[in-house]
Structure formats: structure tokens, C-alpha cells
Amino acid sequence: QRDALWSDPIDKPGLHTSARGAGVQFGPDVARHFLQFNNLQMIIRSHECIRSGFYQPYSGDDQDILCTIFSASDYGGAGNSA
């Protein structure tokens, strides 16, 4: 079993060790398998700081299968356009 809360997408197939020391990094193939297995169309996640407000890490046919949304407009005092 994997800890989804602390895992992050990576635009590279498979599962990879996370530099954060918690969870894993997972590729579009892993995300696609999760969606198919659970009869879902998209993964929406929100625990990662994204300065632009949202991020779709995959490209091509996989672009719309996962989106990270971040809505704290002044997270850590650094400011962002979320």
C-alpha cells in the first residue's frame, strides 16, 4: 500500500522514490491505472504548493487525468497568483 497524501506526480512512467522522504512519485501510467480501477475520470489533489494556482503535470493524452489545485494566496508569506 502507498500513502497517496504525500505522493506526487512525475511525468515519467512508474513509481519512484520521493525526495521528500514520504510517499512516492508516480507517473501517468500509475495515475491511469488508478482511474480505470476506480472508474474515475480525473484525480484532483491540493496539498502541494503551486505558485500559479494549478498545475497539470502530464502531457499529451494524459494531460487531463490529474490536476493539482492550490488556493492559499499568500502561503508562507511568499505570495502567488492562486
Side-chain angles (χ1 to χ4, degrees):
Q1 234 179 27
R2 306 281 183 203
D3 184 345
L5 178 63
W6 299 110
S7 294
D8 298 307
I10 186 172
D11 198 13
K12 184 169 136 182
L15 289 171
H16 306 274
T17 302
S18 174
R20 293 196 295 160
V24 295
Q25 291 181 311
F26 58 93
D29 57 326
V30 175
R32 228 181 300 100
H33 175 75
F34 174 84
L35 291 170
Q36 290 169 351
F37 184 82
N38 291 286
N39 196 29
L40 299 170
Q41 294 181 350
M42 185 178 203
I43 298 167
I44 300 173
R45 53 193 297 275
S46 63
H47 78 275
E48 184 178 1
C49 179
I50 303 296
R51 299 253 178 246
S52 64
F54 76 97
Y55 176 61
Q56 291 177 279
Y58 303 139
S59 56
D61 291 341
D62 295 322
Q63 180 177 347
D64 294 330
I65 66 171
L66 188 144
C67 184
T68 299
I69 298 172
F70 188 71
S71 61
S73 61
D74 195 23
Y75 181 74
N80 64 42
S81 59

